[in-house]
Amino acid sequence: MKFTVAILALALQVAAEQHIVARNASVISGLLSSTLTSLTIADTQVKAYPGTHGLRGANTNLYKTIKKNTKTAKAMPELTFEDAKAIGALSRRVSAAGDSYIKDLGAAAPHFAAAGVCTYLEHYTINLSAAFGEFFTAIDAKFPAGVQVAAQGHFAELSALFLGAEKALAPPNCVNQIEPPRMHGNHSGHGGHGAGHKPAPVVTAGASGMAGLISELSPVAALAAVVAAFFWSLE
Ligand SMILES: *[C@@H]1O[C@H](CO)[C@@H](O)[C@H](O)[C@H]1NC(C)=O
Ligand SMILES: *[C@@H]1O[C@H](CO)[C@@H](O)[C@H](O)[C@H]1NC(C)=O
Ligand SMILES: *[C@@H]1O[C@H](CO)[C@@H](O)[C@H](O)[C@H]1NC(C)=O
């Protein structure tokens, strides 16, 4: 997410020069740190796949972390330009880690197909995209109004990144080559048709999921990208 947001950098510089009182940025730092940790662990699992068995656990933990952090972010005091500057370096690391994770998820599609977990990962990615959208929306609401407005042109890249991964994990790009592994209960999702035959693409859930996503994502992704763009611009 290599956004260039010169206007924001300028605004921050001006704010810094006006000796705005520094505030405690520990709340937002904590949110970003736990997000970074969960992202890094999940990415490690994706990159090691299928050599590890921790993918689902790490993914679930990342999703839960984002949900929990969204709640905390909503309860957080409003941020100043100084807060934003204080979390700049950490924010860039979160952006970069998110970037890698989403790309690595898409790139691992052949491994996921071989293991029969395409459907799970497609749905998971759609869920995660929405969760990240809510998280960024919650954080975004705490930034100074001028910053929110200034960054609004820069949402396309993050949105494209998520959509790219979802496409890579959906038929026809990712089709389970074996029956999905049984989880608890019968929540196994759509299966393939056994080894040796190329299964018919499973379009029902994927297509409606994508359609729903496309119709719903834009405002959410826009806000997510506003914050991502803002983070990236901080020095
Ligand atoms: C911020 O607040 C936390 C907890 O309230 C405290 O431990 C920390 O020392 C504070 N940091 C600064 C820089 O004031
Ligand atoms: C995605 O979210 C839906 C709705 O909350 C849930 O039923 C489903 O189990 C989730 N799927 C994955 C793979 O996380
Ligand atoms: C799970 O699915 C299998 C086969 O489709 C079925 O025989 C079994 O009764 C199901 N179990 C439950 C708890 O629904």
Coordinates of all heavy atoms in Angstrom, one line a residue, residues 63 119-121 123-124 127, ligand 2:
Y63 N -8.8 -12.8 13.1 CA -10.2 -12.3 13.0 C -10.7 -11.8 14.3 O -11.3 -10.7 14.5 CB -11.1 -13.4 12.4 CG -12.5 -13.0 12.2 CD1 -12.8 -12.2 11.0 CD2 -13.5 -13.3 13.0 CE1 -14.1 -11.8 10.8 CE2 -14.8 -12.9 12.8 CZ -15.1 -12.2 11.7 OH -16.4 -11.8 11.4
T119 N -12.9 -23.1 -0.3 CA -14.1 -22.5 0.1 C -14.0 -21.8 1.5 O -14.5 -20.7 1.7 CB -15.2 -23.6 0.2 OG1 -15.2 -24.3 -1.0 CG2 -16.6 -22.9 0.3
Y120 N -13.4 -22.5 2.4 CA -13.1 -22.0 3.7 C -12.4 -20.6 3.6 O -12.8 -19.6 4.2 CB -12.4 -22.9 4.6 CG -11.5 -22.3 5.7 CD1 -12.2 -21.6 6.7 CD2 -10.1 -22.3 5.6 CE1 -11.4 -20.9 7.7 CE2 -9.4 -21.7 6.6 CZ -10.0 -21.0 7.6 OH -9.3 -20.3 8.5
L121 N -11.3 -20.6 2.8 CA -10.5 -19.4 2.8 C -11.1 -18.3 2.0 O -10.9 -17.1 2.4 CB -9.1 -19.8 2.1 CG -8.2 -20.4 3.2 CD1 -7.1 -21.3 2.6 CD2 -7.6 -19.4 4.1
H123 N -14.4 -17.7 2.0 CA -15.3 -17.1 3.0 C -14.6 -16.4 4.1 O -15.0 -15.3 4.5 CB -16.2 -18.2 3.5 CG -17.1 -18.8 2.5 ND1 -17.9 -19.9 2.7 CD2 -17.4 -18.4 1.2 CE1 -18.6 -20.1 1.6 NE2 -18.3 -19.3 0.7
Y124 N -13.5 -17.0 4.5 CA -12.7 -16.3 5.6 C -12.2 -14.9 5.1 O -12.3 -14.0 5.9 CB -11.6 -17.2 6.0 CG -10.5 -16.5 6.8 CD1 -10.8 -16.2 8.2 CD2 -9.3 -16.0 6.3 CE1 -9.9 -15.5 8.9 CE2 -8.4 -15.3 7.0 CZ -8.7 -15.1 8.3 OH -7.8 -14.4 9.1
N127 N -14.9 -12.4 5.1 CA -15.2 -12.0 6.5 C -14.1 -11.1 7.0 O -14.4 -10.1 7.7 CB -15.3 -13.3 7.4 CG -16.6 -14.0 7.2 OD1 -17.4 -13.7 6.4 ND2 -16.7 -15.1 8.0
Ligands
LIG2 C1 -17.9 -16.0 7.9 O1 -18.9 -15.2 8.6 C2 -20.2 -15.9 8.6 C3 -21.2 -15.0 9.2 O2 -20.8 -14.5 10.5 C4 -20.0 -17.2 9.4 O3 -21.3 -17.9 9.4 C5 -19.0 -18.1 8.7 O4 -18.7 -19.2 9.5 C6 -17.7 -17.3 8.5 N1 -16.8 -18.1 7.7 C7 -15.5 -18.2 7.9 C8 -14.8 -19.1 7.1 O5 -14.9 -17.6 8.8

